[in-house]
Amino acid sequence: MPTLALVGAGSGMGLAIARTFGSRGFDVALISRTKEKLQTLVDRLGQEGITAAAFPADVLDRASLTDALDAAKARFGGIDVLEYSPAPHSPVPGVTLAAPSEATVDNLQPQIEYVFYGAVAAARSVLPAMREAGAGTLLFTTGGGSVDPVPMLGNVNAASAALRNWVLNLDKELAGSGVHTAHVAINVWIGDGGPEGFPTATPEQIAPLYWDLHENRDRSEAVFNA
């Protein structure tokens, strides 16, 4: 069975992506901070006939993230697809929103640590084996501001844009290797409770995009708009 590793697995997008791949024959490694929440997702997927396992880790703790991915590789025999989309947990010391003119090293650094450095660490954990095998997919998710920035999210968008740039460049580097890298920009509010007038979509509407990027290896980016 091929294996999908989800970094930032939760009951919204993570569960929808897990179902999308799991229904197509993938085992699923779920990675996020809280073991109890992960186990709930494992149980739900199991009831649907999808084999999943929980691997607690915090993306801000690079060693724990690497250990979780190594444990997932040991459990399932390897990782064929990595998806990285951790949602900010609260409280995160130093994480605030800032307009571009208000950006400082202090309010930029936590965003870069969380959004960008965590993604790089995750990729470095799985990429060597993928290159050796000549096959694999790396998928990374940001908000739409990585492509079309929003002033109130100046520091968040800067970190997301750095990740986007790196992902697109990595895909160029890996051309011809059999390993595919792609970026997903979600330019909608996911689920209910969004700002009035802001476009929304359900996780189930967005998740098939990840399968399309896995299958269509000529595409290195997709932007989901309502």
Side-chain angles (χ1 to χ4, degrees):
M1 285 280 194
T3 299
L4 165 72
L6 280 167
V7 179
S11 59
M13 280 305 309
L15 181 58
I17 295 170
R19 284 170 167 159
T20 297
F21 281 79
S23 65
R24 291 167 170 84
F26 274 71
D27 293 333
V28 181
L30 301 170
I31 300 170
S32 70
R33 295 176 67 239
T34 308
K35 183 177 181 179
E36 292 75 15
K37 291 181 180 179
L38 285 177
Q39 192 56 51
T40 298
L41 298 179
V42 168
D43 293 343
R44 290 177 67 177
L45 291 169
Q47 292 169 5
E48 299 170 20
I50 298 170
T51 299
F55 304 92
D58 188 333
V59 298
L60 292 173
D61 180 348
R62 288 339 153 220
S64 79
L65 178 57
T66 299
D67 287 346
L69 287 164
D70 286 346
K73 286 182 277 188
R75 165 67 173 80
F76 291 113
I79 292 172
D80 302 276
V81 178
L82 171 75
E83 195 279 321
Y84 183 90
S85 57
H89 55 77
S90 180
V92 181
V95 172
T96 59
L97 301 181
S101 63
E102 298 168 342
T104 65
V105 171
D106 288 340
N107 62 40
L108 275 168
Q109 188 63 37
Q111 298 292 348
I112 293 171
E113 292 276 354
Y114 195 77
V115 174
F116 186 22
Y117 293 167
V120 172
R124 287 181 63 85
S125 179
V126 301
L127 184 53
M130 289 183 176
R131 293 182 98 160
E132 184 176 353
T137 302
L138 304 169
L139 302 172
F140 301 87
T141 304
T142 68
S146 62
V147 178
D148 183 14
V150 180
M152 68 176 290
L153 301 174
N155 58 338
V156 178
N157 290 166
S160 298
L163 174 58
R164 173 180 181 256
N165 179 282
W166 175 79
V167 171
L168 298 181
N169 206 16
L170 179 61
D171 192 52
K172 291 180 180 180
E173 178 191 349
L174 296 173
S177 71
V179 182
H180 174 50
T181 303
H183 170 248
V184 179
I186 300 178
N187 201 29
V188 297
W189 185 274
I190 303 172
D192 300 324
E196 185 176 354
F198 198 83
T200 64
T202 66
E204 290 73 23
Q205 289 173 313
I206 302 170
L209 183 61
Y210 291 82
W211 182 260
D212 291 342
L213 285 171
H214 169 60
E215 288 283 277
N216 186 349
R217 308 183 78 76
D218 293 330
R219 296 179 65 192
S220 59
E221 182 169 50
V223 179
F224 187 93
N225 294 298

